[in-house]
Amino acid sequence: MKFIRKTTLSSEIPTASMPDIIFMLLIFFMVTTVLREFSGLPIEIPKAKRIEKLKSKRHTSHIWISKEGLISIEDRLFNIENVRNIIYDKRVADPQIVISLKADESARMELVSGIHNELRKADALKLNYSTKTSLD
Amino acid sequence: MGKIKRRFKGGEIPTSSMADIAFLLLIFFLVTTTIDIDKGLGLVLPAEGEEIEIKKKNILNCLINSSGMVLLGGEPVNLKDVSRIVKEKLRENDKLIISVKTHEKTRYKDYVAIIDQLKIADATRISIADTD
């Protein structure tokens, strides 16, 4: 018996809606991209288990603390006394701001505690200690 | 001289290259996007001038010295036992506030490890005292 194909199916992918799909993807990436990135200081961040993700990159500001005790915000070095002013400005510009503290694992608590006090004075109370995921 | 009649053929924007342009932009944003999200231990600092007196029985002192040794409620403990002990104490008293106090020369790593242990024990009331 011979099989006769009745329907003539076209096996082409419809390309008419391709630009729309691409535009959608494009808009997604445009919205999620934050172009300004800072290189910070060379640090080795500590490990922790019970970590949480920071909600938005847009509302996050980083403070780097190196092993040697240098403090860097947006690739500029600061003395501990000046941290208050810059963080206060940021806090005014964005009330939802979360400060992500990127400190070296062998940084001294003296400095971290100083940063705590400065942040409290600047009224930036949401803090996050940047850590890596511990495997064990 | 006769007038040259130009037949208007319709002013459409060519859409055939639209997909290509969009692709190019897409690739640019794909390359510049960094997907890795910042992770870490969250903490909310108390506001300036917000000092409340707390009953002594509701405070659990956690001291860390410069070599990373931990003194929890007056007893020296191992770092790994902190979460277990704190969990037990929280079960006895749910109003317990853990006060973490460090030495000036304590390494940040040891401090983060303690905060992590407290988080594992589901301690929400963590107080950070000034360094000595």
Side-chain angles (χ1 to χ4, degrees):
Chain A
M1 210 179 114
K2 244 184 187 176
F3 284 103
I4 303 150
R5 190 181 273 182
K6 281 172 188 167
T7 50
T8 48
L9 274 170
S10 69
S11 59
E12 272 167 35
I13 300 163
T15 53
S17 58
M18 186 140 86
D20 302 333
I21 297 160
I22 306 298
F23 264 117
M24 210 171 72
L25 279 168
L26 175 64
I27 286 159
F28 169 74
F29 280 101
M30 278 176 82
V31 168
T32 53
T33 303
V34 179
L35 281 180
R36 270 172 58 174
E37 281 280 326
F38 299 103
S39 49
L41 295 167
I43 52 156
E44 188 66 41
I45 56 172
K47 291 185 187 80
K49 281 176 212 127
R50 188 62 76 86
I51 57 172
E52 46 200 82
K53 278 177 186 162
L54 272 171
K55 279 181 199 98
S56 160
K57 235 179 179 175
R58 226 160 265 263
H59 300 298
T60 308
S61 190
H62 298 283
I63 300 179
W64 276 272
I65 301 174
S66 78
K67 217 174 356 198
E68 297 82 18
L70 298 167
I71 301 164
S72 162
I73 304 164
E74 294 180 350
D75 283 352
R76 273 154 65 209
L77 291 176
F78 285 94
N79 279 327
I80 192 145
E81 302 87 47
N82 302 329
V83 170
R84 188 187 315 176
N85 298 325
I86 186 150
I87 295 297
Y88 184 74
D89 290 344
K90 281 178 180 294
R91 152 90 195 168
V92 168
D94 179 8
Q96 299 183 48
I97 201 156
V98 179
I99 305 295
S100 169
L101 197 67
K102 287 180 173 279
D104 192 277
E105 45 179 32
S106 37
R108 299 288 164 198
M109 275 313 288
E110 179 182 24
L111 205 59
V112 178
S113 183
I115 293 279
H116 282 158
N117 285 329
E118 291 297 307
L119 290 179
R120 285 183 64 193
K121 280 176 185 133
D123 203 30
L125 303 174
K126 277 182 224 153
L127 183 65
N128 189 290
Y129 301 116
S130 190
T131 54
K132 282 189 283 199
T133 318
S134 172
L135 290 171
D136 57 316
Chain B
M1 214 171 105
K3 242 187 196 170
I4 301 162
K5 261 192 191 162
R6 218 172 38 196
R7 196 177 287 157
F8 188 67
K9 282 182 179 169
E12 273 169 27
I13 302 163
T15 52
S16 59
S17 58
M18 182 112 96
D20 301 332
I21 299 162
F23 254 124
L24 208 83
L25 279 166
L26 175 65
I27 286 157
F28 169 74
F29 280 101
L30 266 168
V31 169
T32 52
T33 305
T34 40
I35 294 289
D36 62 328
I37 312 156
D38 288 306
K39 299 170 290 189
L41 298 164
L43 204 72
V44 179
L45 296 170
E48 181 77 347
E50 196 182 273
E51 268 133 33
I52 330 152
E53 294 244 340
I54 302 150
K55 279 181 197 159
K56 232 178 182 173
K57 62 166 188 174
N58 286 344
I59 294 182
L60 178 65
N61 277 307
C62 179
L63 306 159
I64 316 164
N65 78 356
S66 52
S67 46
M69 277 136 92
V70 187
L71 202 68
L72 190 69
E75 284 167 45
V77 289
N78 266 329
L79 181 68
K80 291 214 164 122
D81 299 329
V82 171
S83 65
R84 187 175 49 81
I85 296 164
V86 169
K87 217 170 204 164
E88 277 168 23
K89 298 219 174 193
L90 276 171
R91 209 174 292 142
E92 288 165 24
N93 180 2
D94 62 343
K95 288 196 192 82
L96 199 68
I97 293 174
I98 297 105
S99 169
V100 182
K101 195 166 181 150
T102 57
H103 185 263
E104 275 184 4
K105 297 275 175 284
T106 306
R107 281 180 307 165
Y108 178 65
K109 184 168 93 173
D110 301 323
Y111 168 71
V112 164
I114 286 292
I115 297 291
D116 191 29
Q117 287 287 314
L118 295 180
K119 291 253 172 193
I120 291 169
D122 293 318
T124 45
R125 298 168 180 223
I126 303 167
S127 150
I128 294 143
D130 274 338
T131 55
D132 267 338

